[in-house]
Amino acid sequence: MDKLLIRGGRPLAGEVEIGGSKNAALPALAACLLTDQPVRLKRIPPVRDIGTMERLLAWTGASLQIEGGEVLVRAGSLENPEAPYDLVKTMRASSLVLGPLLARTGRARVSMPGGCAIGARPINLHISALEALGARITQSHGYVEAEAPQGLRGAEIRFDRITVTGTEDVIMAAVLAAGETVIENAAREPEVQDLALLLTKMGAQIEGAGTPTIRIQGVSRLHGTEHVIIPDRVEAGTFMIAAAITAGDLRIRDCVPEHVHALTLRLRQAGTEVSEEGPCTLRVSARERLRSADITTEEYPGFATDLQAQFTALMATAQGIAIVTETIFENRFMHVPELARMGANIRLEGRQAIVAGVAELAGAQVIASDLRASASLVLAGLVARGETLIDRVYHLDRGYERIEEKLAAVGADIRRVQ
Ligand code: EPZ
């Protein structure tokens, strides 16, 4: 199993290029199942979750041509509208194929995702919304089985709580349903907007993506198109924090500054300089020890839960006490005991972490528990005295493209060991 070995203490300097968004590419790949015509997706990040989604599409009967960052999907006929347990257990976002398979073939069978390191993560909201669109859904032997032999019909759906992949799943079902669907309390994340843009290029009629109310007029069929995936805001945010935590100076290229605005505000509050150098470039630099800043995770445009662990690592080395409140997932503090092994002073109280910054972290052997927790350990390792060895790096590989190469290119002493 791969590990990362980091020798901390080097300020990062230089330029980093941000790749395509994993969480936008996953629904975009699922959306390709909605048409029998070829769809070409560009800037698909070569990370492990994407490989899982590609295998899932192939399993259902689609053919894929993968070259560099491009994927050409042809979902001519889908003999096997199913997401089997072996794929779903490694990637919960597999439930994103439920809506498209149902809309396209009138049936779908998707393994129920179990719990994961960050919380229970049920898909009850996806299921009740698809039922509102007329699907008959049963659950047996660990699978959700959905049927709509006469096709889906538009409906008014109000999510009890905001769900990102739930909103995406239902949009993909509704674009081929008869009549109008209105989704209230929809997720406003950039990834939802990117999906709506792709579907619109495929001939769907969608209004309001990026707002809490999305209106969809169903059409009878969709066609092929080309689409470039948006930059990964979590990767961009992780490198912004890398610049801040190492008192470095990084240019983050190919990002969308607006997508990381909530992080920018908190970094500035902590004493980091963040400036826009052109429409797609951010420059992030810090000179001295930062001050504490509180964060509360929220749905977009609030502070992203996917950057909470990384910001917690930053606060572990800042001056003063920071309160980190996690409102999206119930168990997203698995990085805290590992950061404590590196000398961080963090107390957990329910959904809050009370982080008392220390002057110095010390390298240690630590274990990655989930994707973003792993990133926080890398960040802590970059600034810790001595060597940090991070085990179970496969979590990191699920969502970050060559992170150690990108970090090494801007001056980090980091390498992968077996
Ligand atoms: C998406 O997960 C992202 N994944 C996650 O990114 C991200 O952390 C999360 O949104 C929140 O921003 C993808 O886009 C592939 P939710 P998703 O449904 O859609 C509860 C990463 O590190 N809920 O918005 O699964 C749920 O338990 C990952 O890249 C229900 O109760 O998250 C959670 O508490 C991890 N019932 C809250 O809603 C449901 O049916 C928000 O979850 C669905 C969700």
Side-chain angles (χ1 to χ4, degrees), residues 3-6 363-367 387-391 417:
K3 299 179 185 181
L4 283 180
L5 180 64
I6 307 172
Q365 290 195 17
V366 288
I367 289 191
E387 275 188 7
T388 297
L389 187 65
I390 306 178
D391 201 353
V417 292

Side-chain angles (χ1 to χ4, degrees), residues 24 27-35 39 41 96 99-100 103 167-176 183 191-207 209 214-217 219 221-229:
L29 284 163
C32 297
L33 297 176
L34 286 163
T35 175
V39 179
L41 299 175
L96 277 170
T167 301
E168 293 163 349
D169 219 359
V170 172
I171 293 175
M172 290 189 279
V175 286
L176 288 181
I183 308 174
E191 295 76 21
V192 174
Q193 298 179 44
D194 198 42
L195 172 67
L197 180 62
L198 163 65
L199 290 167
T200 304
K201 289 183 190 169
M202 292 167 71
Q205 293 188 14
I206 305 173
E207 269 174 32
I214 300 178
R215 280 175 195 279
I216 299 156
Q217 305 293 336
V219 296
R221 58 194 308 264
L222 296 178
H223 52 74
T225 191
E226 274 194 16
H227 183 68
V228 185
I229 301 293

Side-chain angles (χ1 to χ4, degrees), residues 316-317 336-346 356-364 366 380 384-385:
T317 63
V336 166
E338 298 303 306
L339 290 172
R341 305 193 68 252
M342 300 176 72
N345 180 359
I346 307 177
V358 294
E360 192 177 61
L361 293 174
V366 288
R385 179 173 34 87

Side-chain angles (χ1 to χ4, degrees), residues 22-23 121-125 161 163-165 306 328 372:
K22 163 181 84 81
N23 288 347
R121 305 188 73 190
I123 56 163
N124 58 309
L125 299 172
R161 73 174 288 178
T163 160
V164 178
T165 52
D306 289 346
I328 307 293
R372 310 303 174 188

Side-chain angles (χ1 to χ4, degrees), residues 3-294:
K3 299 179 185 181
L4 283 180
L5 180 64
I6 307 172
R7 285 194 192 86
R10 294 176 164 212
L12 303 187
E15 288 193 355
V16 181
E17 243 171 68
I18 301 306
S21 159
K22 163 181 84 81
N23 288 347
L26 289 170
L29 284 163
C32 297
L33 297 176
L34 286 163
T35 175
D36 58 1
Q37 294 184 13
V39 179
R40 184 182 295 278
L41 299 175
K42 299 184 177 175
R43 196 156 59 190
I44 294 283
V47 297
R48 210 158 55 97
D49 275 7
I50 294 296
T52 306
M53 185 57 98
E54 287 167 349
R55 281 206 301 286
L56 179 49
L57 297 197
W59 172 268
T60 65
S63 78
L64 283 84
Q65 246 171 283
I66 302 166
E67 221 179 287
E70 289 191 23
V71 180
L72 179 68
V73 183
R74 286 192 182 85
S77 64
L78 301 173
E79 301 91 37
N80 201 15
E82 185 185 283
Y85 176 69
D86 280 347
L87 293 175
V88 176
K89 76 172 186 219
T90 63
M91 188 189 62
R92 309 177 43 82
S94 307
S95 51
L96 277 170
V97 299
L98 187 57
L101 286 177
L102 187 59
R104 173 86 187 281
T105 71
R107 64 198 171 97
R109 189 166 177 270
V110 172
S111 174
M112 286 286 290
C116 74
I118 61 176
R121 305 188 73 190
I123 56 163
N124 58 309
L125 299 172
H126 302 225
I127 291 175
S128 48
L130 293 172
E131 282 174 337
L133 293 175
R136 270 203 314 269
I137 299 189
T138 52
Q139 291 178 38
S140 67
H141 304 289
Y143 276 78
V144 176
E145 302 196 341
E147 264 186 9
Q150 261 71 60
L152 298 168
R153 50 183 154 61
E156 286 196 8
I157 291 161
R158 192 186 160 79
F159 281 118
D160 290 340
R161 73 174 288 178
I162 295 175
T163 160
V164 178
T165 52
T167 301
E168 293 163 349
D169 219 359
V170 172
I171 293 175
M172 290 189 279
V175 286
L176 288 181
E180 184 181 68
T181 298
V182 182
I183 308 174
E184 300 280 7
N185 204 24
R188 297 158 63 190
E189 268 64 6
E191 295 76 21
V192 174
Q193 298 179 44
D194 198 42
L195 172 67
L197 180 62
L198 163 65
L199 290 167
T200 304
K201 289 183 190 169
M202 292 167 71
Q205 293 188 14
I206 305 173
E207 269 174 32
T211 77
T213 305
I214 300 178
R215 280 175 195 279
I216 299 156
Q217 305 293 336
V219 296
S220 55
R221 58 194 308 264
L222 296 178
H223 52 74
T225 191
E226 274 194 16
H227 183 68
V228 185
I229 301 293
I230 53 169
D232 196 308
R233 63 193 167 108
V234 184
E235 188 192 16
T238 303
F239 278 101
M240 290 167 75
I241 297 174
I245 202 169
T246 63
D249 184 358
L250 286 183
R251 272 201 182 79
I252 320 275
R253 291 187 40 222
D254 290 343
C255 67
V256 181
E258 187 193 336
H259 291 173
V260 286
H261 187 62
L263 171 65
T264 298
L265 293 181
R266 288 296 173 258
L267 284 177
R268 283 186 182 143
Q269 190 186 337
T272 313
E273 275 180 41
V274 184
S275 55
E276 281 185 36
E277 290 190 345
C280 309
T281 304
L282 280 171
R283 181 160 178 191
V284 184
S285 62
R287 267 184 227 107
E288 52 206 31
R289 190 169 169 210
L290 299 180
R291 302 180 290 277
S292 60
D294 297 344

